[in-house]
Amino acid sequence: MLERGGLAPVHWGCPRGLLQRTGDGRARFMLPLRCLLVLWSCLTLAVSASSEPRPNIMVFVVDDMGVMDSSVAFLTDEKGQARRYPLNDFYRTPGMERLAARGIRFSQFYAMSVCSPTRISIMTGQNAARHRSTNWINPGQNNAGPNGPDRWNWEGLRKGEVTLPGLLRGKGYKTIHVGKAHFGPTGKEGSEPLNLGFDVNVGGAAFGAPGSYYGEKDYGHGTRRAHNAVPHLGKYHGSKTFLTEALTIEAKKCVTKAVSSREPFFLHLSHYAVHAPFESDPRFAPHYRESGKSKNAQAFATLVEGMDKSLGDMLEHFEKLGIAEDTLVVFLGDNGSDAPLGHQHEVACSAPLRGKKGAHYEGGMRVPFMAAWAKPNASNPLQKKLRIPAGVIQQQVASVTDLFPTLLELTGVQAPDGHVVDGYRLQTLLAGQVDRERPERFLMHYPHGRHRSNYFTTWRDGDWKLIYHALPGERTTGGRIQFKEGHYELFNLKRDPFESTNVAKIKPAELKRMVRGLANALEEHDALYAVDSGGRELRPVVPNP
């Protein structure tokens, strides 16, 4: 575990006190009256601020977990009721079921299609098109791709930039990072969470996948995957402690320490699970042996269940410490599912949704999202500020950029002037209500290749979704030509939620409207673009009649 060093001395802005001699020759230190008044004012403000109740916050992020990787049903039918599909019966997530029963879950919550862009969006409230870390960050080399923009933000977050933990720390929060970071490449400031507003870092580094989940393999240290060896966990080396369990134990210790110090905490518990390598968690392997699924699919399911046990353990720990009523839990995935169940562009890994992590279809960017007070109590003063109904499904569109403004408003913190926030507050949606002032839009910009989908942008506006293929003929990592019918795919997600019928050719007016909307959104976000072989930007162009 790494912690930040001691704080710099506080300067009150007063002149030095005056030394005077008493009648018996002793020295007496005298402060000018105006300094006493300043000191009294500061102490009064400090007492007032410390006496205000402030919620604890746990943002629980799961790597590579899509909306279908759970026994909790997130998708809904025509009447807005939860609808189960076969994958919901394959996975076992009782901790998620418990959280869902206590709060609200979203059926249309979006993340970027790969990890680093989402993680930086959570930290900043900005869409990836704006912060420009539009690809997963390769720790060792710039991975813009042959036709990617040269000026994309490979270095990720930098020390001194506005971040959610940095702002909360300024409000008196103990800010704790446990698990995967992946905010910047090796040797750059973003690779160390302590540079980004966190007081504590356990396990966070430049890479996204762990060297190993096994304590017996020292989490990758001394193996051929040592470049991805998880740091700060030496006490568990050689043991049978699975990585997910080790991170959970450390998170509980950090929370206990914060509570004992009477500090509100912001815990960013960001599991490496359920990212590859698909190493089976032996605690849960028997649950899937008769499933008929492949070895890797069974291992993936054990990673899901191990993550879920971590969630349940944290909820129980909050209860044990007596802080459950004062602790808000936010649960989400960082991109679409990476379940090894089929082709990246088909209905398989996220069925009934099409696609998976890295793809331009819904399965690549729809993720589970839930929010609940760890122990609901309508009379709790903190919960009165953010009322969350139990067991409700919210159907409005929302995204990872919304966490930043939502948590700042909850804690009474303002983003500094000049910091652009693309997200919208979720307070109305979290209350289970309809927010009619909120735009039903989402921009996902990926001007890179090769990956499961290459050089694409998606634009959600209401019921419509547009996919722009800047270089449709470039083969993906799966060897497939991405799209053979031009540059655009168009779907009405209300009528065709699983993207089975491209209507771009039969809805020309709608296509033009959506392309204009996409082009404007990219301009508004000051986006960078993929380029052709001559270095010319490949911007979306409204098609001719």
Side-chain angles (χ1 to χ4, degrees):
M1 178 173 71
L2 290 181
E3 294 194 58
R4 292 177 66 247
L7 297 176
V10 176
H11 299 283
W12 296 99
C14 293
R16 294 182 180 273
L18 303 176
L19 279 176
Q20 295 183 354
R21 295 286 178 182
T22 62
D24 57 6
R26 289 178 298 174
R28 183 172 59 180
F29 186 73
M30 302 290 292
L31 278 175
L33 177 60
R34 68 186 182 90
C35 287
L36 289 172
L37 292 174
V38 170
L39 181 60
W40 174 256
S41 175
C42 291
L43 289 173
T44 301
L45 289 172
V47 170
S48 174
S50 64
S51 63
E52 294 178 3
R54 290 173 290 175
N56 304 306
I57 300 168
M58 178 174 73
V59 175
F60 192 104
V61 183
V62 189
D63 199 16
D64 286 0
M65 185 182 190
V67 73
M68 295 306 301
D69 301 337
S70 173
S71 58
V72 175
F74 285 85
L75 302 189
T76 58
D77 60 20
E78 297 80 4
K79 298 180 180 179
Q81 300 300 308
R83 181 172 179 179
R84 299 189 65 81
Y85 291 90
L87 283 179
N88 296 130
D89 296 323
F90 171 55
Y91 296 108
R92 298 164 60 108
T93 54
M96 291 181 66
E97 292 173 17
R98 179 178 171 187
L99 190 65
R102 295 181 178 185
I104 194 165
R105 62 194 191 269
F106 284 47
S107 63
Q108 299 191 86
F109 195 88
Y110 286 92
M112 308 304 158
S113 69
V114 289
C115 52
S116 298
T118 288
R119 292 166 182 272
I120 294 175
S121 291
I122 293 172
M123 293 293 108
T124 63
Q126 296 182 339
N127 189 283
R130 187 180 306 281
H131 64 63
R132 294 183 171 179
S133 289
T134 39
N135 199 1
W136 69 277
I137 294 174
N138 186 316
Q141 61 183 4
N142 189 319
N143 54 320
N147 298 89
D150 289 337
R151 294 185 296 114
W152 83 287
N153 186 14
W154 173 61
E155 292 191 10
L157 287 172
R158 293 164 176 80
K159 190 173 184 177
E161 290 188 329
V162 175
T163 65
L164 178 59
L167 293 174
L168 291 178
R169 188 174 69 197
K171 185 71 171 179
Y173 274 79
K174 185 73 171 180
T175 52
I176 305 161
H177 172 86
V178 178
K180 173 174 172 172
H182 209 182
F183 299 123
T186 302
K188 301 298 182 180
E189 293 174 340
S191 66
E192 174 50 73
L194 298 184
N195 291 330
L196 308 177
F198 287 104
D199 294 312
V200 178
N201 171 30
V202 182
F207 50 83
S212 174
Y213 284 98
Y214 295 132
E216 298 96 324
K217 294 184 179 180
D218 299 345
Y219 309 122
H221 290 271
T223 71
R224 64 182 181 85
R225 288 180 54 82
H227 57 288
N228 280 23
V230 181
H232 314 138
L233 299 175
K235 68 182 73 173
Y236 304 100
H237 288 183
S239 75
K240 293 185 178 181
T241 310
F242 205 75
L243 175 59
T244 308
E245 182 73 6
L247 293 173
T248 305
I249 294 170
E250 292 300 306
K252 289 162 66 175
K253 290 179 181 178
C254 291
V255 167
T256 299
K257 185 176 180 181
V259 172
S260 66
S261 300
R262 298 184 180 276
E263 297 174 291
F265 63 81
F266 170 71
L267 170 62
H268 186 245
L269 180 47
S270 174
H271 280 295
Y272 284 95
V274 293
H275 198 292
F278 299 135
E279 295 178 330
S280 180
D281 188 332
R283 298 174 294 173
F284 310 108
H287 296 166
Y288 306 98
R289 284 178 184 151
E290 306 301 322
S291 66
K293 304 288 188 186
S294 69
K295 179 181 177 181
N296 277 350
Q298 291 182 46
F300 182 86
T302 70
L303 294 177
V304 170
E305 191 167 355
M307 168 282 304
D308 182 81
K309 178 184 181 297
S310 172
L311 175 63
D313 288 350
M314 294 307 301
L315 294 177
E316 291 173 8
H317 193 60
F318 298 151
E319 291 264 15
K320 178 181 176 182
L321 294 176
I323 60 168
E325 288 188 12
D326 300 332
T327 302
L328 177 68
V329 178
V330 176
F331 177 103
L332 72 157
D334 71 343
N335 48 241
S337 175
D338 197 28
L341 293 171
H343 194 275
Q344 62 223 42
H345 291 169
E346 304 297 337
V347 177
C349 307
S350 304
L353 297 180
R354 189 174 177 183
K356 66 183 299 186
K357 169 188 176 180
H360 50 278
Y361 295 115
E362 291 291 281
M365 56 199 78
R366 288 266 285 278
V367 299
F369 179 86
M370 296 189 289
W373 293 99
K375 183 179 181 180
N377 179 357
S379 64
N380 181 286
L382 289 171
Q383 297 190 30
K384 287 180 180 180
K385 295 181 179 180
L386 180 62
R387 296 190 183 277
I388 302 177
V392 171
I393 301 178
Q394 174 60 259
Q395 293 183 276
Q396 276 195 259
V397 172
S399 83
V400 292
T401 61
D402 299 327
L403 269 66
F404 183 92
T406 301
L407 296 180
L408 289 189
E409 178 167 310
L410 177 64
T411 54
V413 180
Q414 291 187 339
D417 293 340
H419 180 74
V420 179
V421 177
D422 293 315
Y424 295 85
R425 57 188 293 280
L426 290 170
Q427 270 73 357
T428 302
L429 300 190
L430 291 175
Q433 301 170 4
V434 175
D435 189 346
R436 302 192 186 281
E437 297 181 359
R438 180 187 180 89
E440 296 277 298
R441 291 172 175 168
F442 177 67
L443 175 67
M444 166 59 224
H445 186 49
Y446 187 81
H448 304 281
R450 296 177 66 201
H451 202 8
R452 288 170 176 165
S453 291
N454 300 326
Y455 308 106
F456 72 90
T457 309
T458 70
W459 172 239
R460 172 82 188 261
D461 186 3
D463 295 333
W464 290 94
K465 176 180 175 180
L466 176 73
I467 304 169
Y468 167 57
H469 302 276
L471 291 164
E474 291 291 315
R475 292 190 179 274
T476 67
T477 51
R480 175 181 292 193
I481 296 294
Q482 186 163 303
F483 189 58
K484 299 180 179 179
E485 300 176 30
H487 291 280
Y488 298 109
E489 293 181 81
L490 181 66
F491 301 96
N492 186 298
L493 295 180
K494 184 174 183 179
R495 302 190 191 99
D496 183 19
F498 309 137
E499 300 170 290
S500 61
T501 305
N502 175 19
V503 297
K505 292 183 178 180
I506 63 175
K507 295 284 185 180
E510 199 62 53
L511 176 63
K512 288 183 179 180
R513 182 186 73 83
M514 289 292 288
V515 174
R516 289 192 191 98
L518 169 61
N520 290 338
L522 289 170
E523 286 282 347
E524 290 169 2
H525 286 81
D526 197 21
L528 299 175
Y529 300 85
V531 297
D532 63 16
S533 57
R536 293 177 290 270
E537 291 182 337
L538 295 169
R539 297 174 178 244
V541 177
V542 178
N544 292 321

